[in-house]
Amino acid sequence: MTTRTSTPSLLDNPPIPVQAKLAAAWTSLMFFVIYIDYFHLYQPGAIDQIRGGGVFEFEITPALMTIFVVVIGIPALMVMLSMALPARVNRATNLVVASLYVPVMVFNAAGASWDWAFYYGLHIGIEVLILAFILRAAWAWPRRAASPAGAAGLDDEPLLTPQQA
C-alpha cells in the first residue's frame, strides 16, 4: 500500500479594497440595526405600545418616522458611497459619519429597563464594534507616494503604510 503525502496548500488571501471593506461593514451595521428593531417586537408589551401610538417614550408621528428613515437611510447610502466616492472624500465621509453614529447607537438604550440591560449592552456593543472597524479601516486607508505630474501611472507607484504617510 502506498501512502501519499501531500503538502498542505496555503489559501490565497488577496487584498480587499478599503472601499469593499467599508461597504461590507455598513451593510452589516444596516442589517443588524434592522434585525434589532424587528427583535424589539418580541419584547413584552412592545406591539401593544406601538398600537397605542408610541415607541419607548416617543409618540409615533410623521417626524419620528422620518427620523427612523434617516437613521437607517444613512447606512444604506454609506454602502453605495463607500464604493463610489473618491478616496479622499470617501475616507473623510466614513470617519465623520461613523463617529456621529456611535452616540446614535448608544441612544438605542433610551427608555430601556434594567431587565433588558444585557440585551441592549450586547447589541449596542456589536454596533459600536462595527463602527470601530469602519473608523479603523477609513483611518488606515493606504496612501500612495506623491509623484510629480506626468510621472509614472498610479499603478506604478508604491503603496505607503499609514505609518509611512
Side-chain angles (χ1 to χ4, degrees):
M1 178 173 192
T2 310
T3 58
R4 200 173 105 181
T5 59
S6 63
T7 58
S9 60
L10 298 175
L11 295 175
D12 186 24
N13 194 18
I16 299 170
V18 177
Q19 296 93 325
K21 289 179 183 181
L22 292 169
W26 282 110
T27 302
S28 294
L29 181 69
M30 187 178 69
F31 276 113
F32 192 70
V33 168
I34 291 168
Y35 270 102
I36 290 301
D37 287 348
Y38 174 75
F39 293 149
H40 168 72
L41 298 175
Y42 289 100
Q43 292 180 4
I47 293 175
D48 293 332
Q49 187 182 31
I50 292 168
R51 285 186 184 149
V55 176
F56 296 114
E57 302 296 322
F58 306 105
E59 181 182 346
I60 298 175
T61 63
L64 181 67
M65 297 307 292
T66 302
I67 290 169
F68 290 168
V69 168
V70 170
V71 166
I72 199 62
I74 290 173
L77 285 172
M78 288 305 297
V79 173
M80 186 264 311
L81 292 174
S82 293
M83 293 300 292
L85 290 174
R88 185 179 303 269
V89 175
N90 199 337
R91 179 178 185 262
T93 303
N94 274 279
L95 288 170
V96 168
V97 175
S99 296
L100 292 174
Y101 254 69
V102 171
V104 169
M105 294 302 135
V106 172
F107 182 74
N108 283 325
S113 69
W114 282 108
D115 296 342
W116 291 89
F118 183 76
Y119 168 78
Y120 281 100
L122 183 60
H123 91 70
I124 290 168
I126 292 170
E127 291 164 346
V128 170
L129 280 174
I130 295 169
L131 289 166
F133 175 85
I134 291 168
L135 289 166
R136 171 77 169 78
W139 185 260
W141 197 300
R143 291 164 171 74
R144 295 199 180 270
S147 62
L154 286 178
D155 293 334
D156 299 331
E157 296 176 8
L159 285 175
L160 300 176
T161 64
Q163 292 78 20
Q164 291 172 322

